[in-house]
Amino acid sequence: EKDRVVVRRDGRTTYLASDIAYHADKLDRGYELLIDIWGADHHGYVHRMKGVISALGRDSSCLSVILVQMVSLVRDGVPVAMSTRAGEFTTLREVMEEVGVDAARYIFLTRTPDSQLDFDLELAKRQEKENPVYYVQYAHARICSIMREAAERGIKLPSYHEADAGLLQLPEEWELVKHLVGYPDLLKGAALALEPHRITYFLDSLASDFHSYYNRGWIEPKARVICEDPDLTGARLLLVQAIRQVLGNGLRLLGVSAPEQM
């Protein structure tokens, strides 16, 4: 790495000077971990900024740089033309205004940073299974509807000590329980690895399993959450309440709303 200019002869500063000031300010304010998100075309600057951190008297390992691949916008299967040279591009603000903040945030987080994303603008607005954020939010709203129905029927939700979890014998119920048990470790791993896409993967899978469980109830009345057996109903209500809590928690961590009605 060759020497880089920070201040020009005429006194004007370079981009590197502002980068140095930015990171120095963060360190002066007591931050122990600095996370930068850069485009993949800036990979050559990583060692330079780590050198800056070392020059500031800190351990360069406190700087973590996440390199993100390009995002391509697609509309009705046709790529949206953009050219930086011609000044033709779509801003993130414009994307959020068209598809909504929830869809934009969630879909951007469904890919690892090193994977290129084809963002389908029309799909992001559809209310269907193929739209990942809608599918997860709909699962949360469905459970809220179940809980409202239980309250309207005067069904009292038992405590976890009162409920008999052994009554949950359907394969779908066991799969859902397994999902819930793994959530804390999944969350910890995502945070330590700086990989929020792990949360979207988890929420997609949990929502899919819940929808399958819910749909079975329409085919087999005995498999419905609110059934003729009051003890089984209580156990199932606690199960779906736990699913709702995890779905809501995961969505909120991603900055996405968890609607109660859709």
Side-chain angles (χ1 to χ4, degrees):
E1 182 73 26
K2 63 181 181 180
D3 290 341
R4 298 288 176 173
V5 176
V6 177
V7 181
R8 299 183 179 91
R9 289 182 179 179
D10 59 7
R12 291 182 298 128
T13 57
T14 63
Y15 286 117
L16 181 57
S18 59
D19 288 340
I20 294 173
Y22 171 80
H23 290 87
D25 176 65
K26 282 291 188 72
L27 293 171
D28 288 343
R29 285 189 284 148
Y31 287 93
E32 298 179 354
L33 175 62
L34 309 182
I35 303 172
D36 287 4
I37 301 177
W38 299 352
D41 55 334
H42 288 79
H43 65 90
Y45 291 80
V46 175
H47 291 300
R48 186 179 308 169
M49 285 313 305
K50 284 188 172 289
V52 166
I53 299 298
S54 296
L56 292 172
R58 303 297 180 91
D59 188 340
S60 63
S61 64
C62 74
L63 173 64
S64 178
V65 179
I66 300 174
L67 299 175
V68 181
Q69 292 294 328
M70 297 293 290
V71 175
S72 299
L73 298 180
V74 179
R75 188 187 302 279
D76 293 326
V78 179
V80 176
M82 287 190 282
S83 171
T84 53
R85 288 189 177 183
E88 298 175 353
F89 55 87
T90 302
T91 66
L92 178 58
R93 183 182 298 276
E94 291 172 332
V95 172
M96 291 191 295
E97 289 175 350
E98 179 171 348
V99 306
V101 175
D102 283 351
R105 281 181 173 167
Y106 195 92
I107 293 175
F108 274 118
L109 292 173
T110 58
R111 294 289 188 277
T112 60
D114 57 357
S115 300
Q116 188 166 353
L117 171 64
D118 290 329
F119 193 109
D120 192 323
L121 294 166
E122 295 304 318
L123 176 61
K125 294 184 287 185
R126 294 185 194 132
Q127 295 187 349
E128 58 185 40
K129 179 180 178 180
E130 284 67 29
N131 181 346
V133 66
Y134 172 78
Y135 201 51
V136 174
Q137 288 179 321
Y138 189 39
H140 184 272
R142 263 184 165 174
I143 297 174
C144 290
S145 176
I146 292 172
M147 302 307 290
R148 285 194 298 270
E149 181 183 350
E152 291 169 359
R153 292 192 185 188
I155 300 174
K156 182 181 178 182
L157 191 67
S159 68
Y160 284 100
H161 297 293
E162 296 172 336
D164 184 359
L167 297 174
L168 301 174
Q169 293 296 322
L170 294 178
E172 292 89 345
E173 292 168 340
W174 280 101
E175 286 302 313
L176 287 166
V177 170
K178 290 178 183 177
H179 257 107
L180 296 175
V181 170
Y183 181 62
D185 287 339
L186 177 283
L187 203 58
K188 181 179 179 180
L192 292 175
L194 305 179
E195 295 181 345
H197 67 274
R198 296 190 190 185
I199 301 176
T200 62
Y201 288 177
F202 177 89
L203 295 178
D204 289 347
S205 181
L206 179 60
S208 178
D209 282 355
F210 168 74
H211 285 303
S212 296
Y213 175 53
Y214 180 89
N215 292 334
R216 178 172 177 174
W218 282 101
I219 300 172
E220 304 174 36
K222 290 183 179 180
R224 292 179 182 175
V225 175
I226 301 177
C227 60
E228 295 181 355
D229 185 333
D231 292 332
L232 180 55
T233 294
R236 286 176 172 171
L237 284 173
L238 286 179
L239 172 61
V240 297
Q241 178 179 253
I243 297 169
R244 178 179 65 173
Q245 179 175 334
V246 169
L247 289 174
N249 177 268
L251 287 170
R252 283 186 284 272
L253 284 174
L254 299 174
V256 177
S257 66
E260 296 187 0
Q261 293 183 348
M262 292 183 72

